[in-house]
Tab-separated table of all heavy atoms in Angstrom:
chain	number	residue	atom	x	y	z
S	212	SER	N	251.058	161.209	-10.301
S	212	SER	CA	252.371	161.334	-10.927
S	212	SER	C	252.589	160.242	-11.967
S	212	SER	O	253.214	160.480	-13.014
S	212	SER	CB	253.477	161.270	-9.869
S	212	SER	OG	253.361	162.347	-8.950
S	213	ALA	N	252.066	159.046	-11.698
S	213	ALA	CA	252.213	157.938	-12.648
S	213	ALA	C	251.491	158.242	-13.958
S	213	ALA	O	251.989	157.906	-15.045
S	213	ALA	CB	251.680	156.648	-12.028
S	214	VAL	N	250.344	158.861	-13.874
S	214	VAL	CA	249.604	159.240	-15.087
S	214	VAL	C	250.372	160.306	-15.854
S	214	VAL	O	250.477	160.250	-17.091
S	214	VAL	CB	248.188	159.745	-14.728
S	214	VAL	CG1	247.481	160.254	-15.983
S	214	VAL	CG2	247.366	158.638	-14.077
S	215	ILE	N	250.919	161.278	-15.138
S	215	ILE	CA	251.715	162.333	-15.779
S	215	ILE	C	252.905	161.722	-16.512
S	215	ILE	O	253.171	162.041	-17.685
S	215	ILE	CB	252.205	163.354	-14.731
S	215	ILE	CG1	251.015	164.129	-14.154
S	215	ILE	CG2	253.213	164.321	-15.371
S	215	ILE	CD1	251.391	165.049	-13.000
S	216	ASN	N	253.625	160.811	-15.842
S	216	ASN	CA	254.788	160.175	-16.457
S	216	ASN	C	254.401	159.317	-17.655
S	216	ASN	O	255.120	159.274	-18.666
S	216	ASN	CB	255.533	159.328	-15.427
S	216	ASN	CG	256.199	160.166	-14.352
S	216	ASN	OD1	256.531	161.328	-14.578
S	216	ASN	ND2	256.386	159.593	-13.177
S	217	LEU	N	253.287	158.619	-17.545
S	217	LEU	CA	252.800	157.780	-18.643
S	217	LEU	C	252.568	158.611	-19.897
S	217	LEU	O	253.030	158.259	-20.992
S	217	LEU	CB	251.502	157.070	-18.228
S	217	LEU	CG	250.754	156.308	-19.333
S	217	LEU	CD1	251.585	155.120	-19.809
S	217	LEU	CD2	249.385	155.847	-18.830
S	218	ILE	N	251.876	159.722	-19.730
S	218	ILE	CA	251.575	160.582	-20.882
S	218	ILE	C	252.835	161.210	-21.451
S	218	ILE	O	253.041	161.230	-22.680
S	218	ILE	CB	250.548	161.655	-20.475
S	218	ILE	CG1	249.199	161.007	-20.155
S	218	ILE	CG2	250.384	162.697	-21.584
S	218	ILE	CD1	248.167	161.974	-19.626
S	219	HIS	N	253.712	161.709	-20.587
S	219	HIS	CA	254.947	162.342	-21.057
S	219	HIS	C	255.831	161.344	-21.810
S	219	HIS	O	256.405	161.687	-22.859
S	219	HIS	CB	255.713	162.930	-19.873
S	219	HIS	CG	255.102	164.194	-19.353
S	219	HIS	ND1	255.582	164.841	-18.226
S	219	HIS	CD2	254.058	164.932	-19.790
S	219	HIS	CE1	254.846	165.929	-17.997
S	219	HIS	NE2	253.913	165.995	-18.923
S	220	ASN	N	255.921	160.117	-21.297
S	220	ASN	CA	256.745	159.102	-21.958
S	220	ASN	C	256.193	158.748	-23.333
S	220	ASN	O	256.956	158.590	-24.304
S	220	ASN	CB	256.845	157.841	-21.096
S	220	ASN	CG	257.705	158.051	-19.869
S	220	ASN	OD1	258.563	158.941	-19.838
S	220	ASN	ND2	257.485	157.246	-18.838
S	221	MET	N	254.875	158.626	-23.436
S	221	MET	CA	254.278	158.310	-24.732
S	221	MET	C	254.454	159.460	-25.714
S	221	MET	O	254.702	159.246	-26.903
S	221	MET	CB	252.794	157.961	-24.558
S	221	MET	CG	252.559	156.596	-23.921
S	221	MET	SD	250.843	156.034	-24.000
S	221	MET	CE	250.052	157.215	-22.897
S	222	GLU	N	254.341	160.677	-25.228
S	222	GLU	CA	254.519	161.824	-26.101
S	222	GLU	C	255.963	161.942	-26.583
S	222	GLU	O	256.229	162.292	-27.738
S	222	GLU	CB	254.081	163.101	-25.378
S	222	GLU	CG	252.574	163.182	-25.184
S	222	GLU	CD	252.144	164.406	-24.402
S	222	GLU	OE1	253.022	165.029	-23.751
S	222	GLU	OE2	250.940	164.734	-24.425
S	223	GLN	N	256.917	161.636	-25.699
S	223	GLN	CA	258.322	161.679	-26.096
S	223	GLN	C	258.653	160.614	-27.128
S	223	GLN	O	259.499	160.818	-28.017
S	223	GLN	CB	259.211	161.522	-24.850
S	223	GLN	CG	259.214	162.740	-23.943
S	223	GLN	CD	259.957	162.485	-22.649
S	223	GLN	OE1	260.381	161.356	-22.373
S	223	GLN	NE2	260.117	163.523	-21.834
S	224	ARG	N	257.968	159.468	-27.036
S	224	ARG	CA	258.178	158.398	-28.020
S	224	ARG	C	257.274	158.570	-29.240
S	224	ARG	O	257.257	157.718	-30.126
S	224	ARG	CB	257.912	157.034	-27.362
S	224	ARG	CG	258.910	156.665	-26.274
S	224	ARG	CD	258.792	155.189	-25.900
S	224	ARG	NE	257.478	154.885	-25.316
S	224	ARG	CZ	257.214	154.859	-24.012
S	224	ARG	NH1	258.183	155.153	-23.137
S	224	ARG	NH2	256.011	154.557	-23.579
S	225	LYS	N	256.519	159.662	-29.231
S	225	LYS	CA	255.589	159.969	-30.318
S	225	LYS	C	254.562	158.851	-30.527
S	225	LYS	O	254.166	158.527	-31.648
S	225	LYS	CB	256.348	160.259	-31.612
S	225	LYS	CG	257.312	161.442	-31.519
S	225	LYS	CD	257.903	161.804	-32.844
S	225	LYS	CE	258.917	162.938	-32.707
S	225	LYS	NZ	258.381	164.140	-32.032
S	226	GLU	N	254.132	158.268	-29.417
S	226	GLU	CA	253.095	157.241	-29.459
S	226	GLU	C	251.731	157.901	-29.300
S	226	GLU	O	251.556	158.821	-28.498
S	226	GLU	CB	253.296	156.219	-28.337
S	226	GLU	CG	254.568	155.409	-28.450
S	226	GLU	CD	254.722	154.446	-27.287
S	226	GLU	OE1	253.735	154.281	-26.507
S	226	GLU	OE2	255.814	153.859	-27.123
S	227	SER	N	250.785	157.416	-30.050
S	227	SER	CA	249.427	157.948	-29.936
S	227	SER	C	248.705	157.251	-28.781
S	227	SER	O	249.028	156.114	-28.424
S	227	SER	CB	248.651	157.737	-31.237
S	227	SER	OG	248.532	156.357	-31.522
S	228	TYR	N	247.763	157.937	-28.211
S	228	TYR	CA	246.966	157.350	-27.129
S	228	TYR	C	245.592	158.006	-27.127
S	228	TYR	O	245.389	159.097	-27.674
S	228	TYR	CB	247.641	157.551	-25.774
S	228	TYR	CG	247.837	159.006	-25.376
S	228	TYR	CD1	246.833	159.714	-24.718
S	228	TYR	CD2	249.035	159.678	-25.662
S	228	TYR	CE1	247.002	161.043	-24.354
S	228	TYR	CE2	249.216	160.997	-25.310
S	228	TYR	CZ	248.197	161.681	-24.648
S	228	TYR	OH	248.365	162.990	-24.304
S	229	LYS	N	244.655	157.310	-26.501
S	229	LYS	CA	243.296	157.848	-26.379
S	229	LYS	C	243.084	158.323	-24.941
S	229	LYS	O	243.407	157.600	-23.987
S	229	LYS	CB	242.267	156.773	-26.726
S	229	LYS	CG	242.248	156.368	-28.188
S	229	LYS	CD	241.266	155.229	-28.423
S	229	LYS	CE	239.843	155.637	-28.087
S	229	LYS	NZ	238.878	154.531	-28.352
Side-chain angles (χ1 to χ4, degrees):
S212 298
V214 175
I215 293 174
N216 292 334
L217 172 66
I218 293 175
H219 285 175
N220 289 337
M221 287 191 292
E222 289 177 344
Q223 288 173 354
R224 294 193 296 265
K225 300 187 183 306
E226 295 178 10
S227 62
Y228 61 87
K229 291 176 62 178

